[in-house]
Amino acid sequence: MSEPTPTSGKHSTFTPVQSANITADMVAAHGLTPDEYDRFCDLIGRAPSITELGIVSAMWNEHCSYKSSKVHLRTLPTTGEHVIHGPGENAGVVDIGADANGTPLAVVFKMESHNHPSFIEPYQGAATGVGGILRDVFTMGARPIATLNALRFGAPDHPKTRHLLSGVVGGIGGYGNAFGVPTVGGEVEFAPAYNGNCLVNAMAVGIARQDSIFLSKAKGVGRPIVYLGSKTGRDGVGGATMASDTFSSEDESERSTVQVGDPFSGKRLLEACLELMQTGAVIAIQDMGAAGLTSSAVEMGAKGNLGILLNLDAVPVREQAMTAYEMMLSESQERMLMVLDPDHWETAQAIFHKWELEFAIVGETTDDLRFRVVHNGVSEADLPIKQLGDEAPEYQRPFEEGTAYAPLSNDDLTPPSDLARTLLTLLASPNGSSRRWVWEQYDHVISGNVAAGPGGDAAVVRIGAGPLALAMTVDVSPRYCFADPFEGGKQAVAEVWRNLTAVGAEPLALTDNLNFGSARRPEIMGQFAGCVRGIGEAARALDFPVVSGNVSLYNETDGAAILPTPAIGGVGRLADIDKRVTMAWPENAELFLIGGHGEHIGQSLYLDVIKGRRTGPPPPVDLQRERAHGDFVRTAIENGVVSACHDVSSGGLGVALAEMAMASGVGAEVDVPGGSHICLFAEDQARYILATTSADALVQAAIAAGIGFAPLGRTGGDELTITGAFSVPLGALRSAHETYLPTLMGL
């Protein structure tokens, strides 16, 4: 076969689509409102076929159309000095400069959710979440270099928590380890609000040449549409629609909506795509992710102002008697759709055969702006493609904003009787303990380029043989976002910005994964609107634009919503990896606190764990202070006057000091005014602990920059001592910190 040929003849010869007897129950089962269904019928001038109903349910659901969130997302800053491609493609693309050979490079990254599937079938739900986000990155022409994740589970004593945690961690490790990309960072937290709906957010980071970025916009009429990858099955049918609705306690039986991943096929697909991209054969390419063949074909055509003709008879399938409906909505994994240059067809075939992948010409681009689907000689769908792709319904949902916290009480402010025991309790708590049990199940060193993996403020990955490196991290504090969505949204961005800064990286851009409850509830939309407003304000103030992301609504079961959880993933640039720092301080270093001693105890880990209350306002985020302090810290690291750095966040100064001591194996004697529990455990923002062996230079630089600082003490010995209050051996800190998760999992 020297060149591809049309698969279905001229579309003018097609028989008309036969409408089905669509009932109100069928419409509701597909996640459409009566008004949306009526709008669709008016759009096409008739009742739809069952395949067309499935197609519109996929394209107009929340997961694919963002119909309840678009109005808020448009307020986010998405451009900047380094941004090459912002939201709208499979992943964001950001300039990181040239490598050691002078080749201009870009970082390609995104984060997406796989929440509902992971709750139903934790191993496969998490595994396919990793596989899907990796495909989003290499679809753009980037080779993945790292993955991260943000995970939320219910109360540790809930009967499902151990099962979900074990399955999700196993799925992430099972896919990522076999695929061959290191898992370098993430976060795990527990709260009763996630009892009925865990969160699994996966982030992938890749590197591409700036002159080799591939987009999903189809070009040219009469060009072949090629299917590549694993065969299509019935797994995942309706997955995107399922992800766009709330759960009930009966929904756990819907395992057919959960996809099944194959990391070895995913690896072959990666290598085949990257090799094919080097030949000039690829005109447009799109991962078959949510809504599978439907969304990938519609998006390619709609973006290119072209029509698409699909012949399902040519689609490789692994199950008998699949219907057009099932084939269009299947979310079988490890599949790509692409528009190819017919002049390169023989080269493409050779690559497909080399990597032992299924492939077929399944359609062609047309000039009629129609989305046509034919199966067994029957017209199954004939729809206007633009209205499916980028003119879905859009809603301004009503929302209510307000505070969601009780004021601090006198008991909240009463000091504990034993500060040492309090610190150890925080370090041993579900949300304060080490995550080593989790990340030791991931391969976080494969590729040999990981300079710093899990356990620090941010992971660091080398780029090539030169000094260039990238830092990356994910973070969010849902308890802040619930108490005050606006401040919580600001804090999530600022925390990620600080984490990148703490290793010496210049923050470049962020991706978000906005996890919330039902958009039909005004109080939930109030949380969403407030968090997005806070994210936008912080991103603008910190020159930290949003270049990609995902919205996951309807995360609730039987009316019980999760905490608002707008996870933020950030990437930063290190021009010289040799100048990076970690949180491990050296012997005989002087310690300084940038940002002053804390006073805001509201919504702190201390109150949650020690007092059993989530009260008071979260700490306010002063973005000017964040910018000034972060810029100073990065400059000090760049100038070589900082030996170690750690930002102060959950658990306050006391937990941050303990983490630095444990990381280094070196103790310290620290002076905290009055040994105050407020100073030790308050979570005021814009703060860093710096260790230095060049104290005079650091002090002079802080004075010159107008940055507030306070001497803390000096490192040394094998105990963490708070002068006049307590001393704790490093062994006791480690024992408390490392025990919780293994014990929870029965190890």
Side-chain angles (χ1 to χ4, degrees):
M1 184 177 182
S2 60
E3 72 178 53
T5 58
T7 59
S8 301
K10 296 294 184 181
H11 54 74
S12 61
T13 65
F14 293 165
T15 58
V17 174
Q18 296 299 306
S19 299
N21 182 23
I22 306 297
T23 66
D25 287 345
M26 292 169 65
V27 171
H30 282 78
L32 296 173
T33 67
D35 286 345
E36 289 171 343
Y37 178 71
D38 290 343
R39 173 177 173 171
F40 181 56
C41 291
D42 290 342
L43 181 68
I44 64 177
R46 55 178 168 79
S49 69
I50 186 64
T51 300
E52 289 175 326
L53 179 65
I55 288 171
V56 75
S57 76
M59 294 307 301
W60 285 10
N61 63 43
E62 293 281 6
H63 191 79
C64 293
S65 74
Y66 297 91
K67 59 189 176 185
S68 296
S69 55
K70 280 181 182 176
V71 65
H72 301 284
L73 299 179
R74 290 194 187 102
T75 66
L76 294 173
T78 59
T79 60
E81 177 186 355
H82 304 289
V83 177
I84 297 173
H85 290 289
E89 281 296 335
N90 286 289
V93 184
V94 177
D95 179 4
I96 60 170
D99 65 10
N101 299 318
T103 303
L105 299 178
V107 59
V108 180
F109 66 104
K110 188 182 183 182
M111 182 161 49
E112 281 206 346
S113 61
H114 233 219
N115 302 335
H116 284 24
S118 298
F119 186 78
I120 295 172
E121 191 2 271
Y123 186 96
Q124 289 296 348
T128 52
V130 173
I133 199 63
L134 286 166
R135 289 194 303 277
D136 279 342
V137 165
F138 73 74
T139 298
M140 303 286 293
R143 179 170 291 279
I145 61 168
T147 63
L148 305 91
N149 52 73
L151 311 177
R152 293 293 187 283
F153 299 97
D157 59 356
H158 188 272
K160 288 188 70 70
T161 295
R162 282 180 55 183
H163 165 70
L164 291 171
L165 175 60
S166 176
V168 165
V169 171
I172 291 171
Y175 199 102
N177 296 353
F179 190 90
V181 173
T183 302
V184 299
E187 55 163 5
V188 183
E189 284 200 355
F190 303 88
Y194 304 100
N195 282 347
N197 202 126
C198 64
L199 299 185
V200 176
N201 295 174
M203 176 176 167
V205 180
I207 298 296
R209 291 170 56 111
Q210 289 187 23
D211 61 0
S212 299
I213 304 296
F214 288 81
L215 308 179
S216 57
K217 178 180 177 180
K219 298 178 183 178
V221 175
R223 285 180 165 158
I225 298 173
V226 175
Y227 174 116
L228 177 65
S230 298
K231 291 182 178 180
T232 294
R234 291 187 172 93
D235 53 317
V237 172
T241 299
M242 179 267 290
S244 302
D245 203 356
T246 58
F247 266 170
S248 70
S249 54
E250 289 80 32
D251 287 334
E252 295 176 46
S253 62
E254 296 183 7
R255 295 184 185 273
S256 64
T257 61
V258 178
Q259 310 90 332
V260 178
D262 179 356
F264 301 105
S265 294
K267 175 66 171 176
R268 296 202 312 272
L269 184 62
L270 160 71
E271 299 300 343
C273 287
L274 294 184
E275 185 174 343
L276 185 63
M277 287 167 173
Q278 296 176 12
T279 69
V282 178
I283 294 170
I285 184 168
Q286 178 71 42
D287 163 38
M288 281 192 252
L293 190 56
T294 290
S295 64
S296 56
V298 169
E299 288 174 13
M300 285 201 304
K303 287 179 181 178
N305 291 311
L306 293 171
I308 297 289
L309 165 62
L310 292 181
N311 174 22
L312 300 187
D313 297 345
V315 172
V317 295
R318 55 179 161 81
E319 298 187 48
Q320 296 295 316
M322 288 190 70
T323 64
Y325 177 95
E326 291 170 328
M327 294 166 74
M328 292 305 297
L329 297 186
S330 168
E331 294 183 8
S332 295
Q333 297 293 286
E334 288 80 46
R335 300 181 301 160
M336 287 284 179
L337 200 67
M338 57 188 71
V339 178
L340 289 189
D341 183 342
D343 292 339
H344 292 79
W345 178 240
E346 290 187 358
T347 300
Q349 285 187 98
I351 292 172
F352 301 155
H353 284 301
K354 171 185 174 181
W355 292 103
E356 299 180 346
L357 293 168
E358 296 286 338
F359 68 95
I361 300 166
V362 297
E364 60 187 345
T365 57
T366 66
D367 61 1
D368 58 5
L369 289 176
R370 304 293 294 181
F371 184 51
R372 301 174 186 268
V373 178
V374 179
H375 187 221
N376 293 330
V378 176
S379 294
E380 296 283 355
D382 186 349
L383 302 169
I385 198 167
K386 294 289 287 184
Q387 286 82 349
L388 284 175
D390 45 20
E391 295 181 23
E394 183 176 319
Y395 299 115
Q396 172 72 70
R397 304 281 190 190
F399 62 89
E400 300 171 356
E401 290 193 62
T403 57
Y405 58 83
L408 290 169
S409 67
N410 289 334
D411 180 63
D412 294 330
L413 302 175
T414 302
S417 59
D418 187 336
L419 283 176
R421 177 53 50 193
T422 298
L423 176 60
L424 291 170
T425 301
L426 292 179
L427 292 173
S429 66
N431 292 329
S433 61
S434 168
R435 273 36 186 157
R436 184 182 302 276
W437 175 85
V438 173
W439 55 257
E440 283 190 340
Q441 298 184 58
Y442 306 149
D443 190 333
H444 52 275
V445 297
I446 192 170
S447 80
N449 292 321
V450 178
D457 285 303
V460 178
V461 180
R462 297 181 185 88
I463 306 302
L468 184 63
L470 289 178
M472 54 202 74
T473 189
V474 296
D475 219 312
V476 64
S477 298
R479 64 183 185 273
Y480 291 177
C481 295
F482 182 77
D484 187 330
F486 177 63
E487 289 297 329
K490 287 164 59 179
Q491 192 275 339
V493 173
E495 170 73 8
V496 167
W497 196 81
R498 286 198 304 271
N499 287 340
L500 297 172
T501 293
V503 300
E506 173 196 5
L508 294 177
L510 66 87
T511 182
D512 58 34
N513 204 141
L514 309 178
N515 306 274
F516 291 81
S518 173
R520 301 184 187 101
R521 294 168 56 187
E523 68 274 22
I524 299 297
M525 284 309 295
Q527 294 173 356
F528 184 87
C531 284
V532 170
R533 191 161 53 89
I535 290 168
E537 181 160 313
R540 278 185 289 272
L542 300 174
D543 287 335
F544 201 29
V546 183
V547 297
S548 60
N550 172 246
V551 175
S552 177
L553 300 174
Y554 303 100
N555 289 287
E556 56 182 70
T557 298
D558 294 330
I562 63 166
L563 296 175
T565 312
I568 303 296
V571 171
R573 178 179 183 272
L574 282 153
D576 186 350
I577 192 171
D578 291 337
K579 292 186 176 182
R580 72 180 180 90
V581 297
T582 69
M583 67 171 68
W585 57 43
E587 287 267 9
N588 296 317
E590 293 190 57
L591 301 178
F592 291 87
L593 177 64
I594 301 297
H597 291 286
E599 60 184 20
H600 291 91
I601 204 78
Q603 301 300 322
S604 63
L605 183 68
Y606 164 79
L607 279 187
D608 188 23
V609 173
I610 304 302
K611 300 292 185 177
R613 287 164 53 81
R614 290 187 172 182
T615 53
V621 181
D622 184 329
L623 293 168
Q624 288 186 329
R625 278 168 55 88
E626 290 284 1
R627 184 64 182 261
H629 293 180
D631 289 350
F632 168 76
V633 168
R634 280 195 311 281
T635 300
I637 293 172
E638 171 72 17
N639 291 338
V641 297
V642 173
S643 304
C645 178
H646 188 24
D647 81 307
V648 179
S649 55
S650 182
L653 179 63
V655 168
L657 287 166
E659 289 172 340
M660 295 181 81
M662 288 185 288
S664 61
V666 176
E669 183 168 355
V670 176
D671 184 14
V672 175
S676 163
H677 74 292
I678 300 293
C679 287
L680 273 175
F681 305 123
E683 296 180 6
D684 295 58
Q685 302 293 289
R687 296 193 296 160
Y688 302 82
I689 300 171
L690 303 183
T692 181
T693 56
S694 305
D696 289 344
L698 182 63
V699 167
Q700 291 303 314
I703 293 172
I707 299 297
F709 66 94
L712 283 176
R714 179 176 290 275
T715 66
D718 58 5
E719 295 185 332
L720 177 62
T721 299
I722 306 300
T723 304
F726 65 84
S727 290
V728 180
L730 297 187
L733 294 177
R734 288 198 190 92
S735 178
H737 194 50
E738 299 287 349
T739 301
Y740 182 80
L741 279 181
T743 301
L744 175 67
M745 301 310 294
L747 302 178

